[in-house]
Amino acid sequence: MFSKKTQLCIDVLLTIGSAPESALITTQKLAKKMCISISHIESIMRLLREAGFVRSVRGPGGGYCTTGQLAQMSVWSVVSALETPDDSDTSCSYRATDSLERSLYCEIKSFLSNKTIGEFFEADSAWHCELPSARLGFRLGPEPLVLKPIAPNSVFDLALFLHREQA
């Protein structure tokens, strides 16, 4: 009925909607959460950005956020922005199922116009996103442990190393 691309765009919007409000979502986090490649997520995010559903924030700590109230956005507005009309049948012949297809299209449009994206997502506490206001200052953590090799670092120390190991 809808293309895989449109279904995936709706899935991405639902996933973004489950994140904390005003959080910036990276493509890496989306790809990991949805089990999709990063390049595929980037192409979907480009479509959503061009359609005006999300905006991107560049730089360190950047990501994607919604442009408006995702909870009040109708599912049909997303579908109609992403789907192109099916002009595959260019013949002038009348098919018996044409009226059935038109009525089904009208029913789907009516149903999805009355459904909002917000009806289908729930807040997910598993997101580990930083809110834009919390990204001020440096994020210094403990220094990593320095690992020292047990082996010699040159061929000239090899004989001394082997001698110590045998003793």
Side-chain angles (χ1 to χ4, degrees):
M1 182 160 68
F2 301 126
S3 67
K4 292 281 186 187
K5 170 190 71 172
T6 301
Q7 291 176 11
L8 189 55
C9 285
I10 292 172
D11 286 343
V12 166
L13 285 175
L14 290 173
T15 304
I16 290 174
S18 70
E21 195 172 335
S22 75
L24 294 175
I25 310 297
T26 64
T27 53
Q28 290 84 6
K29 287 181 182 178
L30 268 174
K32 185 176 179 183
K33 186 139 181 96
M34 297 181 70
C35 299
I36 300 171
S37 72
I38 292 174
S39 61
H40 199 106
I41 287 289
E42 287 172 346
S43 67
I44 293 299
M45 295 310 288
R46 181 185 52 80
L47 292 171
L48 290 172
R49 185 177 40 79
E50 289 173 354
F53 297 115
V54 297
R55 68 178 181 89
S56 61
V57 177
R58 291 181 155 184
Y64 288 91
C65 61
T66 60
T67 55
Q69 291 288 31
L70 196 58
Q72 282 83 33
M73 189 182 303
S74 76
V75 177
W76 183 252
S77 65
V78 177
V79 171
S80 62
L82 298 170
E83 284 289 317
T84 55
D86 185 21
D87 296 329
S88 59
D89 186 44
T90 57
S91 65
C92 295
S93 64
Y94 175 78
R95 296 179 305 162
T97 59
D98 284 348
S99 63
L100 176 65
E101 285 180 15
R102 276 193 301 276
S103 6
L104 180 61
Y105 176 83
C106 290
E107 288 294 321
I108 290 171
K109 180 180 178 180
S110 172
F111 179 77
L112 293 180
S113 294
N114 294 320
K115 295 292 180 185
T116 63
I117 297 285
E119 293 178 44
F120 299 101
F121 68 76
E122 296 177 7
D124 187 358
S125 61
W127 279 104
H128 299 291
C129 303
E130 294 183 22
L131 300 177
S133 62
R135 289 186 289 115
L136 302 174
F138 296 103
R139 289 175 282 184
L140 300 176
E143 289 188 21
L145 295 174
V146 178
L147 300 176
K148 293 186 177 183
I150 299 173
N153 64 353
S154 77
V155 121
F156 301 107
D157 294 334
L158 184 59
L160 182 62
F161 174 76
L162 291 175
H163 187 296
R164 274 193 239 150
E165 287 293 315
Q166 290 175 353

